[in-house]
Amino acid sequence: MHHIHRRATGFAALAIAALTLTACSSTTADVESGDVTSSIVIEHAYGTIELDKAPERVVTLGLLETDVTLALGVTPVAIAKFFATPDGVAPWLAPVLEETPQILDTTTTGANGADLNVERIAALQPDLIIANTYTQLGKYYDQLSGIAPVLGPGESNYLQLGWRDQTTSIAEALGKSEEASALIADVDRQLTDAAAKYAQIVGHDYTLSLGTPDQIKVMNDPADASVEIMNAFGLTFSETASALPGLGDGSGSAGVSEENIAAIDADIVMIGYFGAGIQSHWEGSLLFQDLSAVKNDGYIAMDLSASTALRNPSPLSIPYVIEHVISGNIVPALAK
């Protein structure tokens, strides 16, 4: 799915390897009334974008791209579909969206991605396509770059994207570098304030998983972007989970069968499920019920929007995580 559990589907693409942007800029853009006094030049894994003015018609092909663009005050003409809501819009976007842009299906399931409607994107006449976390960019880059400059990723797994660096890079392409600095500082302040408010959760370990019909896919990558957010609250990524062999599909996860379910145990066990039937299947397991987290009320059946927000941190999703994951789930669980 689209970066889900970090990042196309909560676990928004708990399935496919992707790349992250380590953009290199050769000039700095200063914006006045939408124009830049010097050209914007950013190198990425697929090439270089060059803009002589701040873009006005922007298409975003990933969750992080959409969040950052909107947080910087630019409403895209089209955005990537969010897998976990009926309207395809992430719930943390509602406060900043007056009207819903066109929705583009960029979701992935396993290694299979939806066919991108390139003709539809061309008809929108964008002057910038932002695709830092779009898992199929390699397949469509030539077509997309024939429509408009494309801001692509660098060489790292997109589940390891640093949200501050990505905010800075996207802001540069939008001609909004100054706004980005203030935005990052504001989100960092929110994290600091929330960590102080919920200091009682410090020192507990956790696992973060996706429940599928045949296995639990537990996040096992200590470089996953969600780890930094949880670290900010003094929560510790499970050493047992981090030692598990990965699935090798770029999802940053390990597969755990029912008989090995103890490997996901921790003070806090968070699992998102694709459907009530899958949730019932796992919760009905005697081995699952024997987990210390289940016995001690540390088990949290997560809303997929919340788990996606956690694995796809951005200036808009981080406040959502604070409210719905930390305050709404973890604090009450540890208070029982």
Side-chain angles (χ1 to χ4, degrees):
M1 295 259 169
H2 181 57
H3 325 324
I4 151 177
H5 221 197
R6 177 148 132 17
R7 303 166 137 30
T9 61
F11 287 72
L14 189 59
I16 188 169
L19 305 171
T20 179
L21 176 66
T22 51
C24 174
S25 169
S26 60
T27 62
T28 299
D30 299 314
V31 180
E32 295 182 4
S33 302
D35 295 326
V36 296
T37 57
S38 59
S39 63
I40 300 169
V41 181
I42 302 176
E43 298 176 3
H44 57 85
Y46 293 89
T48 303
I49 67 166
E50 296 186 29
L51 301 169
D52 57 9
K53 66 176 183 178
E56 297 178 356
R57 297 183 60 80
V58 178
V59 168
T60 55
L61 297 182
L63 296 185
L64 180 143
E65 297 92 309
T66 300
D67 291 0
V68 171
T69 300
L70 282 165
L72 291 169
V74 176
T75 300
V77 294
I79 63 175
K81 179 182 179 181
F82 183 65
F83 79 103
T85 57
D87 63 358
V89 176
W92 51 89
L93 299 186
V96 295
L97 269 182
E98 295 182 3
E99 296 183 4
T100 302
Q102 291 194 36
I103 306 294
L104 300 170
D105 189 359
T106 61
T107 57
T108 60
T109 304
N112 301 312
D115 291 332
L116 187 65
N117 192 332
V118 177
E119 293 77 13
R120 184 179 176 192
I121 294 175
L124 293 169
Q125 299 182 313
D127 43 26
L128 177 65
I129 299 169
I130 307 179
N132 304 44
T133 67
Y134 178 46
T135 60
Q136 296 193 93
L137 183 56
K139 177 179 178 180
Y140 289 104
Y141 180 76
D142 288 344
Q143 294 178 68
L144 292 173
S145 60
I147 297 169
V150 179
L151 182 60
E155 297 299 334
S156 299
N157 187 302
Y158 83 104
L159 293 175
Q160 299 174 356
L161 285 174
W163 70 269
R164 296 175 187 83
D165 289 343
Q166 298 315 300
T167 297
T168 299
S169 298
I170 293 170
E172 185 172 11
L174 295 173
K176 290 184 173 288
S177 293
E178 291 187 8
E179 290 92 331
S181 298
L183 178 62
I184 292 169
D186 178 65
V187 176
D188 278 333
R189 177 190 56 76
Q190 292 183 58
L191 278 170
T192 299
D193 290 350
K197 182 178 180 179
Y198 302 120
Q200 69 269 31
I201 69 177
V202 171
H204 292 277
D205 67 346
Y206 69 92
T207 58
L208 177 62
S209 305
L210 176 68
T212 73
D214 58 347
Q215 63 182 342
I216 295 288
K217 293 185 176 181
V218 58
M219 189 268 288
N220 73 332
D221 183 0
D224 189 272
S226 63
V227 174
E228 180 192 351
I229 303 303
M230 299 294 271
N231 284 350
F233 292 92
L235 295 163
T236 303
F237 176 45
S238 166
E239 293 184 0
T240 301
S242 68
L244 293 172
L247 290 168
D249 60 0
S251 66
S253 302
V256 175
S257 62
E258 183 176 354
E259 57 268 29
N260 297 317
I261 196 69
I264 73 167
D265 207 1
D267 295 333
I268 293 291
V269 170
M270 298 174 285
I271 307 177
Y273 299 95
F274 285 122
I278 297 174
Q279 181 175 343
S280 298
H281 163 74
W282 285 103
E283 291 179 347
S285 164
L286 294 179
L287 292 174
F288 185 91
Q289 294 169 16
D290 198 44
L291 295 175
S292 62
V294 174
K295 292 180 177 180
N296 298 324
D297 296 318
Y299 161 59
I300 299 168
M302 291 197 77
D303 174 80
L304 283 178
S305 291
S307 59
T308 303
L310 179 56
R311 290 200 79 187
N312 294 266
S314 75
L316 295 183
S317 68
I318 289 172
Y320 189 88
V321 167
I322 293 172
E323 179 180 357
H324 294 275
V325 178
I326 303 298
S327 175
N329 281 310
I330 293 178
V331 171
L334 291 174
K336 294 178 181 178

